[in-house]
Amino acid sequence: VLRAVPLGRLRAPLMAAAVLEWRQSITPLLGLAFFAESAWANSLHMGGGTGFRLQLPPRPHNTLRLDVATNGNEWTLNAGWGEAF
């Protein structure tokens, strides 16, 4: 659910999540993203981080991303094809 928590760590019968993300292009091919996120899974979990984007044609649907995030206790590294949401 969160990029700031290792995959599968948060589990609950009922969950809610929210993400706030700001994306900024540096050049036509490179971009940055800054994000803050939270989830409710029996208790509140929060985190945030930054990421790099490689925006390949056809834009904006062909994006390679690398995100670094923290939840205050640990760091995570996430990579993917396309935006996180």
Side-chain angles (χ1 to χ4, degrees):
V1 172
L2 301 180
R3 289 172 274 182
V5 178
L7 184 64
R9 170 94 35 102
L10 295 180
R11 295 184 180 270
L14 182 61
M15 294 179 70
V19 177
L20 178 65
E21 183 169 300
W22 179 60
R23 299 175 187 152
Q24 177 65 47
S25 292
I26 299 172
T27 69
L29 291 177
L30 297 175
L32 289 174
F34 301 94
F35 56 91
E37 51 194 13
S38 64
W40 182 265
N42 296 326
S43 64
L44 183 62
H45 302 272
M46 298 186 337
T50 188
F52 296 97
R53 304 293 187 262
L54 181 59
Q55 301 162 340
L56 304 169
R59 292 179 192 94
H61 304 292
N62 203 15
T63 302
L64 182 63
R65 64 182 164 83
L66 181 65
D67 295 327
V68 177
T70 184
N71 60 20
N73 296 322
E74 57 192 340
W75 291 87
T76 60
L77 181 65
N78 296 281
W81 191 265
E83 293 295 351
F85 62 92

